[in-house]
Amino acid sequence: MAMELQVNTRRRIRVLVVDDSALVRSLLTRILGEDRDIEVVGAAADAFVARDKIKALRPDVLTLDVQMPRMDGLQFLRNLMRLRPMPVVMCSSLTAHGAEVTLAALELGAVDFITKPQIDLEHELSAYAGELIEKVKAAATARVRPLVDEADPVSGPSSTPTAGQARRPPGTRGSASQTSDHIIAIGASTGGTEAIRQVLSRLPADCPGVVIAQHIPRAFSQQFATRMDGCSALSVQEASDGALIQPGRAYIAPGDRHLLVERDGSHYRCRLRDEAPINRHRPSIDLLFTSMARELGEKGIGVILTGMGADGARGLQQMRANGAYTLAQDEASSVVWGMPGAAVALGAVDRVVPIEQIAAALLSTRPAPMLRGSAVS
């Protein structure tokens, strides 16, 4: 009885639903309201109504439509993150424009996004409901920072390493005409699009080849690769099956395909697979990291960034066991410290560092072998 009382009196997550469609507002309200840990405190059809309801209702999390009348979701988010930062889950359409606007929203500070529900596909609503509830709960625990107007002076591309990037693991220099001796593998989920931007934008043009698994829908991954290419000295592209992994290039897994690394003689290539999701994800970070452990051994470098869940933790553990150098984003700079925290708990991590220091740590002299089972920061 005492335990039941404790559960029933636990404070629920207060959510405000903002969408110009009455049907979508009703559906999201119904889905979220069915979870006992969530309370939908209100709904709004546009940004101006939402502004007033935020002040009156003080929600913990906002679901925000990308496209709304009077003021679009992006402008409203920009104002919100300057004046009253709070966790926001964007609700967007699976279109090229929807992808572009959503990725911009993530750069402005939105925690995550979910696609518009397919109201005419009732049989898919159960899976959609689970994803929506999971993302709202994760957002409620996220670390949200105020939006700062001035540009990050180190966020733009640079072909020259900073002082902390001047030294590299042996054999990692090269040009785009050569194959990559060492390869960097990066895995990320919630908050990862911005975290990946911060890493890639600090890497020099002659760094080892980079392969990336980010949990993202298929319609978004090409747009994401294009945005990363524009902010990095590296050449960034969506991975294609059989692509040669070269220094100075980064390859992002397509949103609905697994990405693996495969040795081909003295070369390494991207391999795309269509098997079932692993850890409920395709691409799976675990699958990418496991292929790195198998194919590269000590020539692999693994990085696990912000994200909910534990995808990638066991794969990173295998990489480290096979001699790879492994890094995790620290808790303070992670939006959600689920995946990095799981990797640290498994003893899969050599170093735990803030996001702004990961690029320098990747390119610094590799530390001496450490005792397995303890991470250092």
Side-chain angles (χ1 to χ4, degrees), residues 27-325:
L27 181 60
L28 297 187
T29 297
R30 176 168 63 84
I31 289 173
L32 293 171
E34 289 176 353
D35 190 277
R36 66 179 185 177
D37 293 326
I38 296 173
E39 177 187 6
V40 179
V41 295
D46 64 44
F48 294 94
V49 175
R51 179 192 59 191
D52 294 337
K53 290 200 172 186
I54 288 171
K55 294 177 181 177
L57 301 173
R58 304 183 65 83
D60 301 310
V61 177
L62 208 67
T63 68
L64 179 61
D65 189 9
V66 167
Q67 295 175 306
M68 295 187 298
R70 298 210 287 170
M71 179 187 293
D72 65 47
L74 205 60
Q75 183 58 52
F76 177 65
L77 177 67
R78 184 179 289 109
N79 296 342
L80 183 69
M81 299 309 288
R82 284 195 191 106
L83 303 174
R84 194 191 186 282
M86 63 180 296
V88 175
V89 177
M90 302 300 294
C91 192
S92 66
S93 59
L94 277 175
T95 65
H97 177 69
E100 184 67 22
V101 174
T102 302
L103 291 168
L106 295 173
E107 288 184 8
L108 289 173
V111 170
D112 207 343
F113 66 93
I114 192 163
T115 57
K116 287 276 190 178
Q118 299 297 305
I119 298 170
D120 56 333
L121 300 177
E122 187 68 30
H123 62 284
E124 293 186 5
L125 280 181
S126 177
Y128 180 87
E131 182 183 9
L132 173 63
I133 289 168
E134 182 181 45
K135 290 193 172 189
V136 165
K137 287 183 176 180
T141 67
R143 295 166 187 81
V144 178
R145 295 171 179 82
L147 178 64
V148 179
D149 288 333
E150 58 264 28
D152 180 355
V154 291
S155 65
S158 171
S159 59
T160 305
T162 63
Q165 297 172 330
R167 299 172 295 163
R168 295 170 174 78
T172 61
R173 295 189 67 91
S175 69
S177 63
Q178 300 173 330
T179 59
S180 217
D181 185 16
H182 288 65
I183 293 176
I184 299 168
I186 300 175
S189 185
T190 311
T193 57
E194 176 62 10
I196 289 169
R197 183 192 68 80
Q198 292 204 45
V199 174
L200 294 185
S201 66
R202 291 174 166 88
L203 290 175
D206 61 349
C207 80
V210 182
V211 288
I212 299 168
Q214 161 73 42
H215 297 159
I216 199 169
R218 176 68 185 94
F220 285 31
S221 52
Q222 179 58 62
Q223 292 283 349
F224 178 49
T226 300
R227 291 181 77 88
M228 294 303 97
D229 186 61
C231 71
S232 172
L234 281 67
S235 173
V236 185
Q237 64 194 70
E238 189 177 49
S240 58
D241 189 48
L244 183 67
I245 299 173
Q246 299 175 318
R249 301 189 180 219
Y251 308 80
I252 295 175
D256 64 349
R257 306 193 73 185
H258 294 303
L259 172 62
L260 295 82
V261 173
E262 182 179 88
R263 188 180 182 92
D264 179 15
S266 61
H267 308 306
Y268 296 98
R269 296 186 182 276
C270 296
R271 288 299 176 196
L272 301 181
R273 296 289 184 265
D274 297 312
E275 289 94 337
I278 297 174
N279 302 322
R280 298 181 298 129
H281 298 292
R282 188 170 64 198
S284 163
I285 301 167
D286 265 329
L287 199 59
L288 173 60
F289 285 173
T290 299
S291 73
M292 288 281 296
R294 180 179 62 249
E295 302 293 320
L296 280 106
E298 65 181 11
K299 292 184 178 181
I301 305 168
V303 187
I304 193 161
L305 303 178
T306 174
M308 62 182 175
D311 188 29
R314 293 196 179 278
L316 197 70
Q317 185 182 42
Q318 291 184 41
M319 286 187 67
R320 191 174 188 231
N322 285 11
Y325 177 38

